[in-house]
Amino acid sequence: MNDSAKRSKGSSINRVLEIVELVSVSERPLSPADLAFTLDIPKPSIHRLLQQLEADGFVQTDWRGLIIPGTRLMKTAVGVLTSDSLEILRLSVLQRLAAEVGETCGIAIPMNLEMVYTDRVQSNWPLQLYLQVGDNVPVWCTSSGKLYLSSLPKAQRKRLINNMPLRPLTNNTLADKQQLEASLEQIEKTGVGVDNEEYIAGIVAISVPILSPEGHYFASLFTHAPTIRKTLAELQVFVPQLQAAAKELSLMLKEATTSDSQ
């Protein structure tokens, strides 16, 4: 391969990585023109590269023609946090938190319109909710899912709510779109996701965000309890402990991505 071909190949790889990085850290969906301007890539080239990235599943185009992360990009992000090298450190944080709260604690990451449990430390109580690592839960009636929805731009959030089947799973499920939006606005203000028996009757839950190295929402750190043991108000007393643990996990994520890029 001659020097010219090597430079061309290297340039293409760099451009692909720059596109993936910008799409993953952007607070809002970007248009191809936005990407072309920000990264100084000719429009014909940006369209060609985006077509390849979309075909490979790293990005996808929403109904407005804007570029958002694809399934493979989301799985890559999940892989960073759930890598074996970080597992012991993650679990040590969760074990300490579970001991402080006295309830099961875990991490959930958004995947499409569901939340996926990636880590979980059970409490020692005989009565508890058994949801395993890898299980999926709805995004619109769980504390971790509602926290994720609250992090989205308001216009995007409203479109999602309008298109989601808000089935009443319990008497407390917010199946009314206006009620759900009001709840999400409150969560956006407080930074604390809540589930007041909305997913499973007799179970309450709270969650706080784990932030990406860029300071954006990445995952939810949650805890839940049966109401015969703790009310929602009693569980919310432990918000400071969850926030401190989430800060530790965010730092781990930052250190992991920094070391991987060196």
Side-chain angles (χ1 to χ4, degrees), residues 128-147:
Q128 55 187 308
L129 177 63
Y130 286 95
L131 288 171
Q132 303 303 314
V133 169
D135 284 349
N136 297 348
V137 297
V139 74
W140 47 273
C141 60
T142 56
S143 71
S144 57
K146 289 168 66 182
L147 181 65

Side-chain angles (χ1 to χ4, degrees), residues 28-45:
R28 61 177 180 83
L30 300 170
S31 69
D34 291 331
L35 290 165
F37 176 79
T38 304
L39 300 176
D40 192 23
I41 298 175
K43 288 184 179 180
S45 297

Side-chain angles (χ1 to χ4, degrees), residues 47-93:
H47 284 288
R48 175 176 54 81
L49 293 170
L50 287 173
Q51 286 175 354
Q52 185 60 54
L53 285 169
E54 187 161 12
D56 292 338
F58 286 102
V59 302
Q60 54 187 323
T61 304
D62 69 11
W63 66 277
R64 297 170 297 168
L66 302 180
I67 307 303
I68 58 177
T71 301
R72 289 185 68 182
L73 184 54
M74 292 295 295
K75 287 181 178 179
T76 300
V78 171
V80 172
L81 185 62
T82 60
S83 63
D84 291 340
S85 62
L86 291 179
E87 183 175 9
I88 294 176
L89 293 175
R90 290 194 317 272
L91 291 179
S92 67
V93 172

Side-chain angles (χ1 to χ4, degrees), residues 145-182:
K146 289 168 66 182
L147 181 65
Y148 163 61
L149 289 176
S150 76
S151 73
L152 298 175
K154 192 169 184 178
Q156 182 182 353
R157 185 168 75 216
K158 284 191 173 183
R159 282 193 296 272
L160 282 175
I161 292 174
N162 286 334
N163 289 314
M164 284 190 291
L166 305 182
R167 303 184 308 277
L169 302 181
T170 72
N171 290 334
N172 285 7
T173 302
L174 300 179
D176 179 83
K177 295 175 181 179
Q178 291 184 340
Q179 288 182 337
L180 177 57
E181 174 59 25

Side-chain angles (χ1 to χ4, degrees), residues 243-262:
Q243 291 173 330
K247 189 174 181 180
E248 281 189 67
L249 293 166
S250 296
L251 181 59
M252 288 181 196
L253 182 60
K254 183 176 183 179
E255 291 174 346
T257 54
T258 301
S259 62
D260 286 346
S261 64
Q262 292 177 346

